[in-house]
Amino acid sequence: MKKIFAIAALMAMLTNVIAQNDQANQQQLNSAQRLLNSNQGLTIGGYGEVHYNQALVGDTYNNGKLDVHRVVMLFGYNFNEKTQFVTELEFEHVKEVYVEQAFIQHKISNAFQFRGGLMLIPMGIVNEYHEPNTFNGVERPLIDKYIAPTTWREIGAGFTGNILPASIRYQAYIVGGFNGYDGSAKFSGKNGLRKGRQKGAEAYVSSPNFTGKVEYFGIRGLNVGLSGYFGDSQSTLYDGIEKSDKEAVAAADSSTIGMSMIGLDARYTYGGLQLRGQYYYTSLSNTKQYNEFTGSDVGSSMFGYYVEAGYNVFKHIDAIETDLIPFVRLEAYDTHNKVDGNITKNDAYDVKAITTGLTWKMTQNAVLKADMQFVKNAATDSYAKTFNAGFGIMF
């Protein structure tokens, strides 16, 4: 009898752990995936966040910044059980309007689905999962601004699918690339590749690029991803030049850089414990010629990483139905990891950051956040301190 009770208790405990981790896996769906999973004809979703950022400097007064950072509406339409359309309309800082996604998907099988249109580049975690209730901290991680420039999207086409027996999800797309030169340089040591995003707005292409990602989710609560982006930046100098005009072709070649970006990410949830991390490495070729031609200072390699730990302190308190997650994130990136030619490595682009704070999920899709962020580069001796607060929603 004791053995039966022990087995029953063990089964109950395992069932509870499985349920917890299944719930955690379900929470990893982003807004577009939720629409794609809907069986309705027309579906509507959205997310938004409002932020307060206050620089803290001991000997000076500093105004804080209040911002409706973004309000986003998503619309999905199922033409039938196989063919779907998703679009995402984003309003940033009240006055800026963007189309962040607009793609059609046709299901051939669970393992093989065609997707084409304006799509998120599947690099890392945050570029695809950037709704405010899906990450800790008021602002997104710094490496997802300067190394993989979230929100990064391009027009393209390819295939995605779930290989369920192997617990693998994959994505593979041919896409347009960064605008590297349109009369002036778009890449720099200060901003990395961020200024080159074309965002699907009258984008031009002189050389198609490839991006892909493979994710493994076979262990409950664990998701591991390997992503990549490969190709060349785009240049308007190729438009209309004669292939036999060696001088013009040489100038156009000098206005582009080759890119090879690799990303590794992992998320793990067990009970109240939440762990995640990302690593990016980007190798850039032809930077010596690009910098000499454009007068820029882009590095020949960039890297960035972060590790983060949080714990939901209300997880095992049945009377409390909300989540309270204290967390800490350690982060580093360097857009001048290596430099070529006459460019001198700038220590100001070698940055470290510590972010620690609280995330209170009033429900799974409505969150209040507050944190302190300490940022320091290798050219300074002290950390710049910023207090951040805000709320976010997703539906």
Side-chain angles (χ1 to χ4, degrees):
M1 182 66 70
K2 290 183 179 179
K3 289 183 178 180
I4 294 175
F5 280 121
I7 292 171
L10 179 60
M11 292 296 293
M13 182 179 68
L14 289 174
T15 301
N16 184 50
V17 169
I18 290 170
Q20 290 172 354
N21 287 300
D22 281 346
Q23 183 183 26
N25 285 335
Q26 290 172 5
Q27 292 168 5
Q28 293 174 357
L29 294 177
N30 62 25
S31 297
Q33 290 168 336
R34 288 173 182 241
L35 297 188
L36 290 170
N37 287 346
S38 172
N39 294 321
Q40 303 177 24
L42 176 66
T43 53
I44 298 174
Y47 64 92
E49 48 193 332
V50 177
H51 294 168
Y52 167 58
N53 311 105
Q54 178 65 64
L56 301 176
V57 182
D59 53 356
T60 63
Y61 291 108
N62 294 276
N63 290 334
K65 183 176 72 172
L66 295 167
D67 187 25
V68 181
H69 201 141
R70 54 182 57 87
V71 175
V72 181
M73 294 300 300
L74 291 99
F75 301 91
Y77 190 79
N78 292 350
F79 298 97
N80 53 45
E81 68 276 7
K82 292 186 175 182
T83 306
Q84 301 164 291
F85 174 74
V86 170
T87 188
E88 182 174 340
L89 308 178
E90 179 163 357
F91 299 84
E92 289 192 1
H93 316 297
V94 178
K95 59 186 179 181
E96 301 173 15
V97 182
Y98 298 98
V99 178
E100 191 161 295
Q101 297 187 77
F103 64 86
I104 192 167
Q105 179 167 297
H106 181 75
K107 180 179 179 180
I108 301 169
S109 68
N110 286 330
F112 203 60
Q113 301 170 45
F114 170 80
R115 183 178 290 185
L118 181 63
M119 305 176 294
L120 297 175
I121 300 297
M123 288 297 302
I125 302 172
V126 172
N127 201 56
E128 291 190 280
Y129 302 90
H130 49 256
E131 295 83 353
N133 61 301
T134 63
F135 63 92
N136 291 315
V138 175
E139 303 292 346
R140 297 166 181 174
L142 293 174
I143 66 170
D144 290 299
K145 179 178 181 180
Y146 295 105
I147 306 300
T150 302
T151 303
W152 181 10
R153 66 271 195 192
E154 297 290 351
I155 297 173
F159 295 93
T160 181
N162 293 305
I163 305 174
L164 295 179
S167 300
I168 286 176
R169 177 182 180 232
Y170 74 90
Q171 299 178 73
Y173 310 119
I174 299 297
V175 297
F178 287 105
N179 170 22
Y181 185 85
D182 60 2
S184 62
K186 299 302 177 184
F187 306 135
S188 67
K190 179 180 179 181
N191 296 305
L193 306 175
R194 188 171 185 81
K195 298 293 185 180
R197 294 175 301 164
Q198 298 203 66
K199 305 178 184 179
E202 298 183 324
Y204 71 96
V205 58
S206 55
S207 176
N209 291 352
F210 171 80
T211 184
K213 184 174 185 179
V214 177
E215 296 175 82
Y216 174 73
F217 52 89
I219 299 174
R220 294 190 184 276
L222 177 67
N223 187 292
V224 179
L226 175 65
S227 50
Y229 179 88
F230 308 95
D232 296 321
S233 65
Q234 318 297 294
S235 173
T236 56
L237 293 184
Y238 285 110
D239 191 33
I241 62 173
E242 296 288 339
K243 294 181 180 179
S244 59
D245 188 341
K246 294 183 179 180
E247 185 176 340
V249 171
D253 289 343
S254 296
S255 66
T256 67
I257 61 175
M259 304 178 181
S260 297
M261 181 185 295
I262 295 292
L264 179 65
D265 62 81
R267 289 164 286 172
Y268 181 66
T269 301
Y270 182 82
L273 179 65
Q274 301 176 7
L275 304 174
R276 64 167 51 194
Q278 287 189 172
Y279 177 82
Y280 294 122
Y281 182 82
T282 305
S283 177
L284 303 174
S285 61
N286 205 50
T287 55
K288 178 178 181 293
Q289 294 86 339
Y290 181 86
N291 289 329
E292 290 176 351
F293 182 79
T294 65
S296 190
D297 65 342
V298 64
S300 59
S301 77
M302 309 175 184
F303 85 95
Y305 70 86
Y306 77 76
V307 292
E308 178 185 301
Y311 191 86
N312 177 15
V313 297
F314 292 163
K315 181 66 178 179
H316 302 291
I317 304 176
D318 294 336
I320 301 177
E321 297 181 352
T322 63
D323 295 349
L324 182 64
I325 306 166
F327 76 94
V328 61
R329 180 168 67 232
L330 307 179
E331 189 170 6
Y333 72 91
D334 189 354
T335 58
H336 265 190
N337 182 52
K338 293 181 181 178
V339 295
D340 279 343
N342 297 323
I343 301 300
T344 301
K345 178 177 170 61
N346 190 332
D347 287 340
Y349 304 151
D350 181 359
V351 178
K352 291 180 173 57
I354 303 170
T355 306
T356 184
L358 288 172
T359 299
W360 179 36
K361 291 187 176 181
M362 298 170 283
T363 74
Q364 287 302 317
N365 294 330
V367 62
L368 291 178
K369 301 180 180 183
D371 64 64
M372 284 288 298
Q373 189 168 61
F374 306 85
V375 180
K376 176 186 177 300
N377 63 58
T380 62
D381 296 324
S382 60
Y383 283 87
K385 296 178 281 292
T386 305
F387 171 74
N388 305 296
F391 74 84
I393 58 94
M394 171 184 175
F395 60 89

